[in-house]
Amino acid sequence: MIHNRDPAETEPTQAAIYLSEYILDINEGSDFLSGISKDDQKRLRHMGTRCTFDKGQSIFHQGDSHTGIWIIESGRARTYYVGPTGREITLAYWTPGHFIGGPEVFGRGRHVWSADAMEPCEMVFLSGPSVEKLVREVPEVAVAVIHGLIAKGKCYSALIQMLGTRSISERLRQFLFILADAQGRHEGTSIVVERTITYEQIAFLVGATRQWVTQTLDKLRMEGVLEISRTELVIRDMDALLST
């Protein structure tokens, strides 16, 4: 769907979310357009297509041919992988300023994972040939693409490290810490996070079942570490959360 708003001044409002040991690296790559001059931003948008996605709508599918990249202007998009048995794992939640659709940014090969919209999204789609033309002609775009790919490489490397070296319980606790750091607000000694993610979505991210996530979060609630309502997750004791 074509969208008519000019998003030239859009800024990221929240950090991306993925499993990582290194909190400071989480939102690297979110400034895809900020290092590009206004004239080159206009050129990029002229070569692209502004589009919207409804909540839950697929952006691209695992196995589809690469056609280009999508620069997120508003909303959140999820990238995920589905194994041969149908088991699904969430790779990351991407927020405004990031692009999705790599690593074949020039539109070659096939997607090795899928992406969908976690909420209504506005994006600029750039075809592979358009990306390649811009990279060859505008050094700042080339640098932005490289920085974005570096960030994604670090993201997926961090995910592999977490899956390979941390227990499920440790991954869940680290995810809650990342969520609090990225989206939380301090209220006294507590950190309050708006509930924008379901238990099932948490399970897909940490590599667990929904039942296990429910039971573990309930245990943390009974221990006084956190409280959960339909709209908020409140972390009462961050030190206890991070203890193993």
Side-chain angles (χ1 to χ4, degrees), residues 10-13 29-33 71-75 95-99:
T10 299
E11 294 291 341
T13 57
S30 66
D31 54 353
F32 184 77
L33 296 179
I71 304 168
I72 303 173
E73 303 281 53
S74 68
T95 48
H98 291 278
F99 72 83

Side-chain angles (χ1 to χ4, degrees), residues 1-230:
M1 294 168 52
I2 301 300
H3 187 74
N4 293 320
R5 184 179 66 84
D6 184 356
E9 300 301 326
T10 299
E11 294 291 341
T13 57
Q14 55 181 300
I17 296 290
Y18 56 84
L19 284 178
S20 176
E21 301 274 8
Y22 312 108
I23 302 299
L24 293 179
D25 292 345
I26 288 290
N27 216 37
E28 285 188 2
S30 66
D31 54 353
F32 184 77
L33 296 179
S34 64
I36 303 172
S37 72
K38 296 296 183 182
D39 287 342
D40 287 331
Q41 286 188 35
K42 290 179 181 179
R43 180 184 178 190
L44 181 150
R45 289 191 167 91
H46 178 74
M47 294 175 67
T49 301
R50 294 174 191 157
C51 52
T52 61
F53 294 91
D54 296 327
K55 180 179 179 180
Q57 185 176 352
S58 174
I59 301 168
F60 57 82
H61 286 288
Q62 187 174 319
D64 287 350
S65 296
H66 274 280
T67 55
I69 63 173
W70 290 259
I71 304 168
I72 303 173
E73 303 281 53
S74 68
R76 295 179 302 146
R78 177 182 71 123
T79 50
Y80 64 97
Y81 174 80
V82 180
T85 63
R87 183 178 178 183
E88 181 178 313
I89 185 167
T90 294
L91 304 177
Y93 293 98
W94 299 108
T95 48
H98 291 278
F99 72 83
I100 59 174
E104 295 280 4
V105 296
F106 296 151
R108 306 184 180 104
R110 295 187 178 277
H111 287 288
V112 292
W113 51 73
S114 302
D116 58 16
M118 297 305 297
E119 57 195 47
C121 290
E122 301 173 356
M123 303 186 184
V124 173
F125 172 73
L126 275 176
S127 70
S130 294
V131 175
E132 186 165 5
K133 180 178 177 62
L134 285 165
V135 163
R136 291 180 181 277
E137 297 178 359
V138 184
E140 290 79 6
V141 173
V143 171
V145 169
I146 291 170
H147 282 318
L149 291 175
I150 288 171
K152 285 166 176 51
K154 293 171 72 172
C155 160
Y156 298 130
S157 175
L159 175 61
I160 292 170
Q161 291 168 352
M162 290 289 291
L163 292 174
T165 63
R166 294 286 197 107
S167 68
I168 298 176
S169 178
E170 289 172 329
R171 295 197 297 265
L172 176 61
R173 291 170 183 264
Q174 181 70 2
F175 166 72
L176 293 174
F177 175 59
I178 290 170
L179 196 65
D181 184 78
Q183 300 181 10
R185 68 178 187 274
H186 288 269
E187 292 189 0
T189 59
S190 300
I191 299 178
V192 180
V193 182
E194 300 296 328
R195 281 283 305 277
T196 60
I197 187 169
T198 67
Y199 285 4
E200 183 176 44
Q201 290 165 353
I202 295 173
F204 284 153
L205 198 147
V206 301
T209 65
R210 184 189 184 284
Q211 181 181 20
W212 181 89
V213 169
T214 301
Q215 293 173 345
T216 303
L217 290 178
D218 193 51
K219 182 175 182 292
L220 291 172
R221 181 186 60 79
M222 291 188 292
E223 292 173 352
V225 175
L226 53 80
E227 294 180 10
I228 302 175
S229 69
R230 290 185 177 181

